[in-house]
Every structure is written in C-alpha cells, then in structure tokens.
Amino acid sequence: MGLLSELPVTAAWAEGLPRDALERVESGLSLREVAAGGALCHIGDPVEHWFGIASGLVKLSVVSAEGKPLTLAGVPSGGWFGEGAVLRDKLWRYSVVAMRDTTAVLMRRATFFWLLENSLPFNRFIIDQLNERLAQFVGSLEAARILTAKERVPRSLALLYNPRLYPGIDRRLHLSQEELGYLAGVSRQVANQSLQQLKAQGIVSIEYGKVTVLDFDALRQFLG
DNA sequence: TCATTAAATTGTT
DNA sequence: AACAATTTAATGA
C-alpha cells in the first residue's frame, strides 16, 4: 500500500504506471502539513519539488514593488502545480501560501524528470496541464480589462472548479468570503455582494465559511 | 454532555 | 476601514 493510494488526491498522472515504476515514484514522494497562513515555499526559494494538494487550499501569489499582494491562482485539493518552475526555473517566482490547513504532496525534482523520461502518459498530463494554465492566464488578462470587480468573483470560483486541473473537487468548498476576495483580487465587501447576487440567481448557496456551487454551467459563463 | 468563552466570519455602514 | 450580529470552535465543569 503506497503513499499515493492512501491519499484523497486523484493522481491522474499515475494511472497506467507499471507497479515497479509506481514504487520508484512513491519513494520520491513525501508529505508536508502546512497550517493556514503558513507557506509551502517563498519567492526566491530553490525549486526542489513538484507540488500536489492532498487536502486544503493554497494560493500562488506575488508581491508588487509597493507591497501590494497579487494572487495569481488558487489550487484546491486534487491539484498539482509547479511543473513550470521545475522545468524552467531554479528559483520560485511566486510564494505558495496555505489558505486553509493543507496537506501537500512533494515530488522530488529527480523523480519528476525520471517520469518525464519514462512515462508517455505523464508527459501528456504535463502538456495538458501547462496548456490549461496558459488558457487560464490568458483569460485572466482579458478578465482584468473587461470584467467588473463583481464579475471577477464568479470567474475565480469557476477557475477553482476546472475539471481538468482539479478533478473531483467537491461542490461545497471551505472558503470564506475574505479568502475568495483574495483569489479574485477584490475587497471582501465586493466578494460578499457578488456572492449575494449569485445566490439570488440560484448559482451558489452560502453557508458560514463555505460556498456551494449549484449551477456549474451558469458559473462557466463568467469564464468568457 | 452542556454551558461559557474566544475566535472567525458575515453583513452592513 | 470599522462596526455589530452571527456562527463555529475550544474550553472546562
């Protein structure tokens, strides 16, 4: 019974791997617990791992010269990220901060590259993932220009429910309105008002510290 | 298990 | 940004 099979994370890239390869890969994995507010890595840290989120929620963020934080993306449980950094960079270009208590899976660089050289499905997974993220960030540029602050909230929510990047994510997400505001780059007030509107439209339901998506199709309208 | 208190979150100004 | 109201989590009897 290996590490992967015990995790509540669907590691799609591991499907189809021969048993001996799987054992080899699992020897290159480790777990790390990070409390809410803690960091998985900081800007400038050496890139030593590819990250997966077994449970919890993290955000990828940078800080502007004036000290204003900018959130690039949120990654819920089931998501893997950092392949761009592992492939291209020696140092992290963004910080990874836990928005909730989080359990992360760390894959050593050497293991990552071994998979690249030995598994075609893994290569396919990485290409799909890079492509999906590229689409997200291109969309973000558009959204920043075209969408109002209130519209950026449902867009951010829709991004979290990307089935390709984060398969099997629960309809109900443990995510406060303040945290959603950080993700969307809007104030908590705007996040609140936007959620109220979405609730009135029957797209989401709101609970204390949680949001549940009721209508995925309606939410995807905000992706543009 | 229940009551009390602190902390977190929400809705509004 | 600041306020009050509400919900949850933590604590201890």
Side-chain angles (χ1 to χ4, degrees):
Chain A
M1 190 60 76
L3 184 56
L4 280 177
S5 52
E6 294 174 28
L7 292 174
V9 56
T10 45
W13 52 262
E15 284 174 27
L17 273 184
R19 191 183 312 164
D20 58 336
L22 200 55
E23 286 175 8
R24 177 174 189 140
V25 168
E26 290 193 327
S27 69
L29 297 180
S30 57
L31 285 183
R32 190 158 144 208
E33 310 268 348
V34 183
L40 213 45
C41 68
H42 297 95
I43 295 177
D45 285 351
V47 180
E48 290 167 340
H49 298 98
W50 186 49
F51 289 125
I53 302 302
S55 69
L57 177 67
V58 300
K59 62 178 173 182
L60 319 184
S61 58
V62 296
V63 181
S64 71
E66 304 92 52
K68 292 178 183 175
L70 170 64
T71 300
L72 303 174
V75 180
S77 64
W80 294 82
F81 64 93
E83 59 280 345
V86 172
L87 288 168
R88 180 200 59 216
D89 298 329
K90 291 192 168 66
L91 306 176
W92 286 101
R93 295 192 187 184
Y94 47 82
S95 295
V96 180
V97 177
M99 303 177 81
R100 286 273 155 208
D101 289 353
T102 295
T103 301
V105 190
L106 282 60
M107 179 188 291
R108 286 168 31 204
R109 282 177 63 102
T111 305
F112 182 89
F113 283 111
W114 184 86
L115 271 170
L116 270 188
E117 290 175 15
N118 291 278
S119 169
L120 197 54
F122 185 77
N123 278 269
R124 180 53 188 265
F125 178 90
I126 293 299
I127 289 175
D128 286 346
Q129 173 125 330
L130 286 168
N131 196 32
E132 199 65 32
R133 269 194 214 293
L134 179 60
Q136 275 201 2
F137 285 119
V138 168
S140 292
L141 276 177
E142 283 186 80
R145 293 263 182 171
I146 297 171
L147 299 183
T148 65
K150 209 183 257 189
E151 289 169 329
R152 267 178 246 140
V153 174
R155 180 176 182 280
S156 296
L157 260 186
L159 290 181
L160 281 182
Y161 286 94
N162 181 323
R164 186 180 287 277
L165 286 175
Y166 320 120
I169 186 176
D170 203 300
R171 302 169 73 87
R172 170 188 290 169
L173 200 57
H174 192 158
L175 180 69
S176 74
Q177 298 182 3
E178 185 176 25
E179 290 164 337
L180 182 54
Y182 285 136
L183 283 182
V186 303
S187 68
R188 187 169 68 78
Q189 289 91 327
V190 169
N192 177 273
Q193 288 171 30
S194 180
L195 278 175
Q196 301 283 359
Q197 193 172 324
L198 292 169
K199 177 187 174 186
Q201 294 169 334
I203 298 175
V204 302
S205 67
I206 306 173
E207 297 157 85
Y208 184 86
K210 297 186 183 75
V211 54
T212 304
V213 176
L214 302 175
D215 188 343
F216 288 100
D217 290 334
L219 202 60
R220 289 196 195 92
Q221 301 292 309
F222 293 90
L223 289 175

